[in-house]
C-alpha cells in the first residue's frame, strides 16, 4: 500500500470483494486494525462506492495456522480512518501475517479500493 492516500491512489481489488495479505516484520500479539478510504468530500465523483464494507481479519501464525480475529463493517458516513478492535484482544498467540478479507463494498461492482491498513499490537519478546 502506498503512502499517498489522495483520491485514486489506492490499492484496488478487482470486483466488489477480495483479500490482501500483510506479512508483519515480527510476530505480534494483535489488538486491532485500522482501515482507511477517502471520504465523500475528497472523491472527485462525490461517492465512495469503492470503499470496503463488510470485512473479516484472519491471523496466521509462524506454523501457517489461520485464525479468525474478527469481523466488522467500514462505515462511509464516519471518519476516513477507522479503528476496529479484534475479538479477544490482545490475542494470546502472536501472528506473523494477517489477511484482510473484504466481503463486500459500498456498491461498486468493478473494484474495491483500500487506501491504508494499519496493524496494532504488541511485539513478542525475543
Amino acid at each position: 500500500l502506498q503512502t499517498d492516500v489522495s483520491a485514486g491512489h489506492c490499492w484496488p481489488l478487482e470486483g466488489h470483494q477480495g483479500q490482501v495479505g500483510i506479512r508483519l516484520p515480527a510476530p505480534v500479539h494483535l489488538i486491532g486494525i485500522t482501515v482507511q478510504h477517502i471520504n465523500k468530500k475528497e472523491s472527485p465523483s462525490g461517492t465512495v462506492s469503492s470503499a470496503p464494507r463488510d470485512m473479516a481479519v484472519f491471523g496466521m501464525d509462524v506454523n501457517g495456522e489461520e485464525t479468525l480475529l474478527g469481523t466488522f463493517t467500514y462505515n462511509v458516513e464516519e471518519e476516513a480512518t477507522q479503528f476496529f478492535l479484534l475479538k479477544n484482544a490482545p490475542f494470546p498467540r502472536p501472528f506473523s501475517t494477517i489477511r484482510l478479507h473484504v466481503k463486500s463494498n459500498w456498491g461498486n461492482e468493478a473494484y474495491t479500493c483500500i487506501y491504508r491498513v494499519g496493524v496494532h499490537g504488541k511485539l513478542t519478546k525475543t
Side-chain angles (χ1 to χ4, degrees):
L1 301 178
Q2 303 175 31
T3 56
D4 182 356
V5 293
S6 59
H9 292 270
C10 70
W11 192 71
L13 304 171
E14 187 175 345
H16 64 277
Q17 60 182 342
Q19 58 189 340
V20 60
I22 300 170
R23 187 176 327 179
L24 305 174
V28 175
H29 291 276
L30 298 171
I31 295 170
I33 69 162
T34 54
V35 176
Q36 183 176 351
H37 192 276
I38 60 171
N39 59 39
K40 291 179 185 176
K41 291 185 291 187
E42 296 169 325
S43 173
S45 67
T47 67
V48 287
S49 63
S50 67
R53 185 175 186 158
D54 295 313
M55 297 176 278
V57 174
F58 297 85
M60 186 179 297
D61 64 20
V62 293
N63 297 321
E65 183 179 330
E66 193 172 74
T67 302
L68 175 65
L69 302 177
T71 59
F72 45 86
T73 300
Y74 182 92
N75 186 340
V76 294
E77 300 300 328
E78 294 181 6
E79 295 293 320
T81 301
Q82 296 176 26
F83 175 78
F84 302 98
L85 185 65
L86 302 176
K87 69 178 184 179
N88 302 321
F91 206 81
R93 189 167 86 245
F95 295 98
S96 57
T97 302
I98 68 159
R99 181 170 62 90
L100 177 65
H101 177 92
V102 178
K103 298 178 184 182
S104 64
N105 68 17
W106 285 91
N108 189 318
E109 292 294 320
Y111 60 93
T112 301
C113 277
I114 299 173
Y115 281 82
R116 186 172 284 160
V117 174
V119 178
H120 306 272
K122 297 179 185 205
L123 290 172
T124 58
K125 295 181 181 181
T126 55

